[in-house]
Amino acid sequence: MYEELSQRCQRGEISFGDTMLFNLDEYVGMSPDNPRSYHAFMRRHLIDRIDAPEDQVNLLRGDASDADEECRAFDRAMLRPAA
């Protein structure tokens, strides 16, 4: 699915320019630069291959020092109005 979406975006058939992206999974304790993290997976397979503005990409940090606050911040991001 990610391959199809990214190819369509690269061909100009679709755009993610007005899309808020939220990735709901991550491994606790894993940093975003770990190639096995969902953060890295999503960047590699979708986010870095489409035209979504960086400020509209929301990925959980598995290595956050306060996991509860990371989740609260993620919840707040889902509630903020789109630009």
Side-chain angles (χ1 to χ4, degrees), residues 28-72:
V28 173
M30 193 168 286
S31 69
D33 59 344
N34 184 314
R36 294 179 16 212
S37 71
Y38 282 109
H39 189 114
F41 178 89
M42 292 304 295
R43 288 233 171 253
R44 187 170 52 251
H45 292 281
L46 183 67
I47 296 165
D48 291 345
R49 301 175 66 195
I50 61 174
D51 62 347
E54 190 60 37
D55 65 338
Q56 294 172 197
V57 174
N58 299 276
L59 302 166
L60 290 164
R61 287 194 63 109
D63 64 347
S65 61
D66 184 340
D68 290 333
E69 179 52 33
E70 179 71 4
C71 291
R72 286 190 293 273

Side-chain angles (χ1 to χ4, degrees), residues 72-83:
R72 286 190 293 273
F74 197 76
D75 288 345
R76 287 190 301 273
M78 284 191 274
L79 296 173
R80 78 174 181 247

